Amino acid sequence: MPETPEAILEVRGLVKYYPLTRGILFKKQVGAVKAVDGVDFTLRAGETLGIVGESGCGKSTVAKLLVHLERPTAGSISYKGEDISKLSGKALKAVRRNIQMVFQDPYTSLNPRMTVGDIIGEPYEIHPEVAPKGDRRRKVQDLLDVVGLNPEYINRYPHQFSGGQRQRIGIARGLALQPEIIVADEPVSALDVSVQAQVVNLLDRLQSEFRLSYLFIAHDLSIVRHISDRVGVMYLGRIVELGTDTEIYEHPTHPYTQALLSAVPVPDPDARAHRERIILTGDVPSPAAIPSGCRFRTRCWKAQERCTIEVPLLAVPETFRLQTGPAAHPSACHFASEKQVVPPDGTLQPPPNPPQLR
Ligand code: ADP
Ligand code: MG
């Protein structure tokens, strides 16, 4: 990677609201599901940006917005400096080729009635310029080889493959148009733990081979650690902490990141004994009723009155601004620069009565 890698994708103020309607004949909008509620990040050429958060935090919606499976309610997505979020027709088609998606579930994302060759070659129907008809079979066989599958399997059907092999097929399809960016939405979550690492390693190898940039989505911090250069932690439609591997894993400053990390299994029993446990109670609140102020406050053990009123922005905490060091990275918490106080029993729990808006 170059020293100051250029931005290949810049996301600013990205918002996706799904209208909540009542009534059958006369649909009336009664609210909105705020699936993505103001997301900013930059993907640099050649890097892997991990996006992590519990289920329902809006990760897949971000992925769909990036590959134009959904249209944003607001905000911009710039690819090499050009806002592509409002493109349509030919211009959109040309850009879409460069940003491809690998889906979460290789069991449902591959059409069971199509052969592997037809699945992988399907993108060429939309972009025949990439591979003329006479050339396609050979291209697909190349792709099978590239993802570690026998090119002779070209006429087989998805059900004849294991989960890991199916995800390799999904990856081959994602590569067919020679994209620059791959948005991988939980690409190993549906796989057995034993094959997860193999697929992650494959993605890692393909990245250097084809100079790809990855947005790698996961609900588990441990999976993205190996592959990510930087990680963004998402909660209820927003990125709440963003930093390098060391910043996020060794010096997390947002209580939500700290809670997610405390749930990651630690193999070393010594290290395990020394780490405080943080209990995250309750579920993620509904994105149709996001708490006022800090959206994490209803589950946060640090929450105070201020958190019900003031929205914390994703920024480097004030006290760290003049310093360098791993704690000085953007975090959307009013208390990000405070040292964490661990109670005597070693557990951190949300206050029994989380502050309510008066
Ligand atoms: P994640 O991938 O992090 O689990 P999603 O992006 O799939 O989260 O979903 C975020 C929120 O948006 C969820 O509450 C989900 O129910 C809601 N959502 C997603 N897609 C739609 C849709 N098409 N219509 C209404 N709500 C949706
Ligand atoms: Mg998802």
Side-chain angles (χ1 to χ4, degrees):
M1 241 202 306
E3 242 173 33
T4 46
E6 77 212 78
I8 190 159
L9 208 60
E10 283 184 289
V11 171
R12 294 291 172 263
L14 195 61
V15 170
K16 179 67 186 180
Y17 291 171
Y18 293 104
L20 262 180
T21 54
R22 287 262 156 75
I24 296 162
L25 261 180
F26 301 100
K27 281 212 164 87
K28 199 173 135 217
Q29 186 169 344
V30 292
V33 177
K34 300 181 172 180
V36 175
D37 197 22
V39 160
D40 298 78
F41 64 82
T42 297
L43 180 69
R44 299 168 186 157
E47 84 164 337
T48 298
L49 177 65
I51 299 285
V52 170
E54 284 163 290
S55 178
C57 283
K59 307 180 299 294
S60 294
T61 306
V62 168
K64 287 179 201 155
L65 290 166
L66 295 184
V67 299
H68 283 88
L69 286 175
E70 293 279 6
R71 287 265 170 181
T73 307
S76 65
I77 301 167
S78 303
Y79 166 72
K80 295 182 173 169
E82 182 198 7
D83 185 2
I84 58 167
S85 61
K86 290 159 201 84
L87 292 182
S88 58
K90 266 196 182 144
L92 174 62
K93 198 175 147 189
V95 166
R96 277 183 87 166
R97 198 194 132 179
N98 294 312
I99 311 172
Q100 293 290 313
M101 183 141 156
V102 172
F103 294 91
Q104 171 168 2
D105 189 348
Y107 295 92
T108 56
S109 61
L110 306 180
N111 186 337
R113 281 179 290 276
M114 281 166 75
T115 66
V116 163
D118 288 340
I119 290 171
I120 298 173
E122 199 178 22
Y124 300 136
E125 301 292 330
I126 304 156
H127 290 272
E129 75 282 5
V130 183
K133 264 227 153 76
D135 215 17
R136 284 187 198 166
R137 196 176 164 83
R138 194 188 50 77
K139 276 230 162 189
V140 169
Q141 283 177 324
D142 273 357
L143 284 164
L144 282 166
D145 187 47
V146 156
V147 299
L149 291 172
N150 188 336
E152 287 171 17
Y153 293 168
I154 190 165
N155 294 322
R156 295 195 181 180
Y157 289 87
H159 71 87
Q160 295 173 283
F161 294 88
S162 69
Q165 288 174 322
R166 284 188 210 207
Q167 196 52 300
R168 286 171 195 264
I169 295 164
I171 293 167
R173 179 176 57 187
L175 290 175
L177 299 174
Q178 295 158 296
E180 292 175 292
I181 300 169
I182 297 266
V183 178
D185 187 9
E186 304 209 33
V188 300
S189 297
L191 304 179
D192 282 349
V193 176
S194 57
V195 294
Q196 287 186 346
Q198 295 169 16
V199 174
V200 170
N201 290 342
L202 169 68
L203 287 167
D204 212 15
R205 174 169 68 74
L206 295 172
Q207 179 167 45
S208 32
E209 214 164 299
F210 299 108
R211 311 168 119 261
L212 297 164
S213 308
Y214 285 156
L215 193 83
F216 192 105
I217 295 170
H219 60 257
D220 181 342
L221 270 163
S222 61
I223 288 172
V224 292
R225 178 151 205 188
H226 302 288
I227 194 164
S228 302
D229 299 294
R230 293 184 305 138
V231 175
V233 178
M234 220 173 149
Y235 187 76
L236 260 189
R238 285 226 176 148
I239 292 181
V240 296
E241 186 164 5
L242 183 67
T244 63
D245 188 273
T246 317
E247 287 166 348
I248 296 295
Y249 291 88
E250 317 274 341
H251 302 272
T253 61
H254 197 288
Y256 182 57
T257 312
Q258 292 163 352
L260 286 182
L261 275 171
S262 96
V264 171
V266 177
D268 173 8
D270 267 355
R272 199 159 53 219
H274 284 105
R275 191 172 62 179
E276 68 266 12
R277 263 183 349 111
I278 300 169
I279 316 281
L280 256 189
T281 51
D283 293 324
V284 183
S286 160
I290 292 178
S292 67
C294 172
R295 55 194 62 213
F296 183 58
R297 69 176 164 84
T298 53
R299 299 169 81 196
C300 184
W301 61 94
K302 283 184 176 173
Q304 294 180 20
E305 179 128 16
R306 178 182 176 192
C307 308
T308 64
I309 302 156
E310 251 181 84
V311 177
L313 300 175
L314 182 64
V316 178
E318 199 76 55
T319 45
F320 290 143
R321 233 164 256 172
L322 298 173
Q323 303 173 18
T324 49
H329 61 268
S331 179
C333 171
H334 295 309
F335 306 108
S337 52
E338 273 179 19
K339 226 180 148 36
Q340 188 165 303
V341 184
V342 185
D345 70 351
T347 61
L348 293 161
Q349 285 190 332
N353 301 306
Q356 302 294 322
L357 190 68
R358 284 165 303 170

